[in-house]
Amino acid sequence: MKVLVANLGSTSLKWRLFEFSNRQERMLHKGGFERVTDYPKAIEDCLAQLRDAGHIASEKDLSAVGFKTVLALGVNGCVRLDEKTVRAMEACNSIAPAHNPPYISGVRLFAQRMPKTPLVGLFETAFYQWAPEAAMRYAVPQAWHAAGVRRWGFHGASHKFIAERSAELLRREDVAQRARRLYVDGGSSAVRQPDLRVISCHLGGSSSISGILNGVAIGNSLGMSPQSGLPHNNRVGDLDAFALPFLMRTAGLTLDEAERLLCKESGLKGLSGGANDIRDIQTQAAQGNTNAQLALDVFVHHIRHWIGAYFLQLNGADALVFTAGIGENRAELRETICANLDQLGLVLDREQNLATRAQEAVISAPNSRVQVMVIPANEELVVAREVKRFLENTQS
Ligand code: AMP
């Protein structure tokens, strides 16, 4: 069985092709295009690359295309992306304006190009279905909650992969198994004691932190929308709800303009005054740019804030994991995040940290009670596995 997982951005298309056979799974191919202006052509070129590499003769060899879909009210888990589901995603465009529209148009283009191939989405909210209600509620009128104003949590595929992989590395096969089977068994299956407590930091263009107890999420720093939680590259992160009506009244901002500014001109970009890539921000800060340094300081402050929250909720931590573009590659930032935590039992191995880039490694000192790890993100694998399971369940 071959499953193509497509990662859709407004101007990017990235993919990984997986093959499943006799209990074995392999990634056959990965690739992508940036600065895409003609999406149907990008899909065509993706399929051409898979043909040229000899992985498929035609799209008929794909059992399904899987997508890391973000949000649709009333839909969760791993589902067929039929028109009804796509319309439910469309109804959430204003909650996820940077994510849902490219997915919707991309999924429709894939549907046109390969109408007979199942298109299946694993929603990023799926990992939080078993989080305690108290962690997911906002203190709003009940009717608002019923309308969807609640914490959903995102980056579910990434944090689920960390739940699985960190348990494997910590030699807790019982927890790894529970995390792998979470969407089949739910969050209630038993594991042996003691509890395995993991704090997963997905730090990239979009960032979030999850607390994970025995393979199951207890919460995520992202709330109702992917614009919340930590500051993102150009999206705002947490903001007092009353800031918006205040600015609309006093500065005459329209709702559309406010949305655009919160979604495209805020986050690290807003703080630094222009740069939104952490590499550029760090370079500017090193050159003495105080706004760039402030952007880094705010980012680190919020990261530590959320790590602290889960450290308390979990009654400590067995592992603190860094993943995604920044988490995997920016050793200096990891060092700043982990500074002065020895009283909490967390001590970094400075040299091992500096030597670790985009590879799996333990970067804490031998005497650290909390193991600090870098684990490269593998969201696509989580999507592919769930799509495979979905196909097996629906075809049997
Ligand atoms: P992501 O959204 O996971 O692709 O992460 C994007 C962020 O990670 C950007 O802010 C980059 O600065 C940072 N990043 C990604 N790849 C690298 C790399 N190879 N070296 C340093 N930073 C990186």
Side-chain angles (χ1 to χ4, degrees):
M1 177 190 291
K2 287 177 183 161
V3 174
L4 177 68
V5 178
N7 194 334
L8 313 179
S10 53
T11 60
S12 67
L13 170 65
K14 296 180 192 149
W15 66 84
R16 291 190 189 188
L17 178 65
F18 295 89
E19 181 179 52
F20 296 93
S21 58
N22 296 335
R23 302 182 130 250
Q24 284 209 323
E25 58 189 23
R26 269 198 312 154
M27 189 182 71
L28 296 178
H29 193 267
K30 76 175 192 182
F33 303 116
E34 302 280 354
R35 302 201 176 95
V36 172
T37 51
D38 182 346
Y39 226 94
K41 181 172 179 307
I43 294 173
E44 219 49 68
D45 291 347
C46 159
L47 295 173
Q49 284 199 20
L50 300 181
R51 281 196 305 270
D52 293 348
H55 297 309
I56 58 169
S58 80
E59 72 276 5
K60 292 197 186 84
D61 291 336
L62 297 174
S63 299
V65 184
F67 300 88
K68 195 163 54 76
T69 39
V70 175
L71 181 68
L73 292 185
V75 184
N76 212 342
C78 192
V79 299
R80 185 88 178 233
L81 294 174
D82 53 18
E83 193 47 36
K84 186 164 165 257
T85 304
V86 172
R87 275 202 291 269
M89 289 165 65
E90 219 161 26
C92 297
N93 276 357
S94 67
I95 309 175
H99 299 86
N100 269 19
Y103 262 90
I104 290 161
S105 57
V107 166
R108 285 192 171 133
L109 289 171
F110 269 95
Q112 275 168 24
R113 175 62 182 78
M114 42 181 86
K116 295 209 162 65
T117 309
L119 306 182
V120 182
L122 175 64
F123 279 88
E124 288 283 68
T125 48
F127 192 43
Y128 307 100
Q129 293 172 89
W130 300 277
E133 188 173 4
M136 305 308 273
R137 287 291 284 241
Y138 289 124
V140 293
Q142 288 174 10
W144 288 30
H145 175 75
V149 180
R150 45 156 289 176
R151 303 185 73 90
W152 291 103
F154 299 92
H155 288 150
S158 177
H159 291 297
K160 182 172 188 287
F161 179 72
I162 299 303
E164 297 172 11
R165 188 65 194 137
S166 60
E168 286 165 9
L169 293 171
L170 293 162
R171 302 189 191 290
R172 286 292 300 268
E173 183 47 39
D174 58 330
V175 173
Q177 171 82 353
R178 189 192 201 207
R180 281 194 291 269
R181 290 185 51 84
L182 188 61
Y183 299 156
V184 183
D185 299 338
S188 57
S189 62
V191 294
R192 64 178 163 78
Q193 291 297 312
D195 285 334
L196 189 70
R197 306 152 302 170
V198 174
I199 301 172
S200 170
C201 304
H202 176 113
L203 308 178
S206 173
S207 299
S208 79
I209 298 184
S210 272
I212 303 170
L213 180 63
N214 295 325
V216 183
I218 63 159
N220 179 238
S221 58
L222 286 158
M224 179 184 168
S225 86
Q227 285 73 247
S228 54
L230 305 171
H232 308 282
N233 59 349
N234 61 356
R235 286 170 290 125
V236 63
D238 280 346
L239 175 76
D240 190 312
F242 274 71
L244 199 53
F246 169 76
L247 267 178
M248 290 174 71
R249 289 200 182 101
T250 57
L253 219 57
T254 65
L255 186 56
D256 285 348
E257 184 62 358
E259 275 180 337
R260 192 188 71 77
L261 292 171
L262 291 170
C263 209
K264 296 210 160 110
E265 302 294 334
S266 297
L268 297 175
K269 185 179 180 187
L271 285 161
S272 75
N276 71 9
D277 188 302
I278 215 83
R279 286 168 283 204
D280 300 333
I281 298 174
Q282 281 181 314
T283 305
Q284 292 174 2
Q287 289 163 349
N289 181 324
T290 50
N291 288 330
Q293 185 58 51
L294 182 67
L296 293 176
D297 293 346
V298 172
F299 190 45
V300 169
H301 176 87
H302 280 82
I303 292 166
R304 285 171 63 95
H305 174 92
W306 278 99
I307 291 173
Y310 290 124
F311 202 90
L312 193 91
Q313 298 284 351
L314 291 166
N315 187 18
D318 298 292
L320 175 70
V321 183
F322 290 101
T323 190
I326 296 173
E328 291 165 32
N329 293 293
R330 308 309 293 184
E332 324 78 5
L333 214 72
R334 291 194 299 251
E335 186 172 333
T336 320
I337 293 164
C338 294
N340 297 326
L341 297 179
D342 54 321
Q343 293 301 311
L344 295 179
L346 192 155
V347 186
L348 216 55
D349 177 331
R350 197 159 180 267
E351 273 164 27
Q352 183 61 45
N353 177 44
L354 287 175
T356 300
R357 204 156 200 224
Q359 90 234 38
E360 201 168 85
V362 174
I363 57 169
S364 46
N367 65 337
S368 182
R369 281 203 307 279
V370 182
Q371 292 213 35
V372 186
M373 297 173 171
V374 175
I375 300 180
N378 203 345
E379 303 154 269
E380 291 82 359
L381 177 62
V382 169
V383 176
R385 284 174 179 163
E386 294 307 320
V387 170
K388 170 181 172 274
R389 221 190 307 259
F390 173 87
L391 293 178
E392 288 167 350
N393 288 343
T394 49
Q395 283 161 6
S396 62

